[in-house]
Amino acid sequence: MTTALFTHDDCLRHLTPPGHPERVARLEAILEVLETPEFAALDWHDCPLADRAELLRVHPEAHVAAVERAVEAAGDGWASIDADTHVMAGSLNAALRGAGGCVAAVERVMSGAAQNAFVAARPPGHHAEKTTPMGFCLFGNVSIAAKNALDAHGLSRVAIMDFDVHHGNGTQDLLWDEARCLFISTHQSPLYPGTGAQHETGADNNVMNVPLPPETGSQGFRRVMEAEVLPALDDFAPELLLISAGFDAHRADPLAQLNLVEEDFAWATERLCDVADAHAGGRVVSTLEGGYDLEALAASTAAHVKVLMKRGAR
Ligand SMILES: [Zn+2]
């Protein structure tokens, strides 16, 4: 069995204004390390474009049309959706590749052609709500993948673990009343976007928020993973585990202060693969969310993918 890697050059054509943290160089830094001989066993695939029906599993038609209109309005410059979220000519296809890559990665893993998969795409997706693109995100990539697994593959339990340092408010919004999905988010609080309190538990107790104070660090993070997150995942017994893999909880990241290191991401990936081995036949699909210090992002992604490859090869 192998680890599939989904990416696409279109994700390098979504340009953001000068000085914006969510920039082309992020994906370039990741691809540079994944192209080294150490990762030669990765099974590379182009992300397909998500089709309309896939987007409409979580977003209303009006949202998709609004993103398309914004991209059109940008002309040869940028159109700003909010203070952080900007689109230009290349943004639509980049976003469609991210969503399509997540769906294709689920297909590949569900078919048994790969044990697990990582989707290296941008813009990220976990802040995009039903009708509100925000926080650099246009479409809810991981939620679209989850719905695809439930509706197209007939699964009855899909779990999403989001260890990005920001709360996955979009995923929470898109899957709030989806009882077949357990969504768990660890995130720094207080921090953007301000949501993700413990009392936000979903319509069917299917959302679990674990807010962490600044300076939590490795030990504190591992403690809550072991005490709260992993037992909840075990109880839910997912048939497929999805990961919103943001690496901005790294201590070098300029946007947050959770102070993790790459070994923590490797450790978390190992533990999540344990859950997948116990309940989901080892099936894991992980997708890139945040991470804004290029060196830390590349090293953390490498640590994460290295574990996926080790676990996928058994
Ligand atoms: Zn983030």
Side-chain angles (χ1 to χ4, degrees):
M1 292 287 264
T2 56
T3 295
L5 188 281
F6 284 81
T7 189
H8 198 282
D9 284 351
D10 279 353
C11 297
L12 301 170
R13 298 183 185 118
H14 162 60
L15 311 182
T16 48
H20 197 284
E22 202 296 284
R23 56 210 192 275
V24 171
R26 297 178 61 237
L27 184 53
E28 287 174 339
I30 288 171
L31 295 178
E32 195 182 328
V33 65
L34 295 184
E35 281 162 357
T36 58
E38 197 180 355
F39 294 91
L42 280 173
D43 179 27
W44 288 66
H45 297 270
D46 275 343
C47 297
L49 296 165
D51 64 31
R52 202 111 182 147
E54 287 160 353
L55 302 178
L56 295 183
R57 286 192 204 275
V58 299
H59 296 289
E61 172 70 32
H63 173 81
V64 182
V67 171
E68 288 171 343
R69 271 199 311 275
V71 167
E72 225 165 90
D76 55 7
W78 280 286
S80 295
I81 292 173
D82 63 28
D84 308 309
T85 313
H86 314 277
V87 294
M88 43 71 73
S91 302
L92 183 62
N93 275 1
L96 292 173
R97 295 289 177 191
C102 286
V103 170
V106 166
E107 299 290 329
R108 189 120 197 118
V109 166
M110 290 306 301
S111 75
Q115 178 64 64
N116 54 37
F118 182 69
V119 183
R122 55 175 290 281
H126 74 149
H127 292 308
E129 298 188 343
K130 283 196 184 82
T131 57
T132 312
M134 60 182 273
F136 321 154
C137 303
L138 302 179
F139 301 127
N141 301 336
V142 79
S143 302
I144 290 167
K147 284 285 199 182
N148 183 65
L150 295 166
D151 295 344
H153 290 279
L155 296 190
S156 45
R157 289 182 316 281
V158 174
I160 302 174
M161 173 61 202
D162 183 333
F163 57 65
D164 187 281
V165 82
H166 301 97
H167 177 231
N169 63 294
T171 309
Q172 172 169 303
D173 180 56
L174 299 176
L175 300 175
W176 183 261
D177 54 6
E178 177 50 86
R180 298 172 297 173
C181 256
L182 172 65
F183 172 60
I184 303 182
S185 175
T186 54
H187 46 269
Q188 181 176 322
S189 177
L191 191 67
Y192 180 91
T195 49
Q198 251 160 342
H199 64 78
E200 298 165 25
T201 55
D204 200 46
N205 254 332
N206 56 308
V207 170
M208 180 175 162
N209 283 306
V210 186
L212 302 169
E215 322 290 339
T216 286
S218 301
Q219 280 190 1
F221 172 73
R222 293 185 189 206
R223 229 176 1 245
V224 297
M225 284 290 290
E226 281 177 333
E228 299 177 43
V229 173
L230 297 168
L233 286 170
D234 260 327
D235 283 350
F236 184 71
E239 298 160 301
L240 170 70
L241 180 64
L242 306 180
I243 303 176
S244 265
F247 299 103
D248 40 10
H250 194 283
R251 70 177 170 202
D253 199 275
L255 299 196
Q257 302 79 35
L258 219 46
N259 295 346
L260 303 189
V261 293
E262 41 270 42
E263 288 77 18
D264 297 316
F265 296 116
W267 176 86
T269 309
E270 291 273 14
R271 299 292 74 78
L272 293 170
C273 286
D274 290 344
V275 171
D277 279 352
H279 306 287
R283 291 189 291 256
V284 175
V285 172
S286 175
T287 183
L288 179 67
E289 300 285 1
Y292 303 98
D293 177 86
L294 296 184
E295 210 173 302
L297 172 63
S300 301
T301 305
H304 177 63
V305 173
K306 215 177 286 180
V307 172
L308 291 178
M309 290 174 72
K310 184 183 87 179
R311 302 293 293 252
R314 289 187 311 177

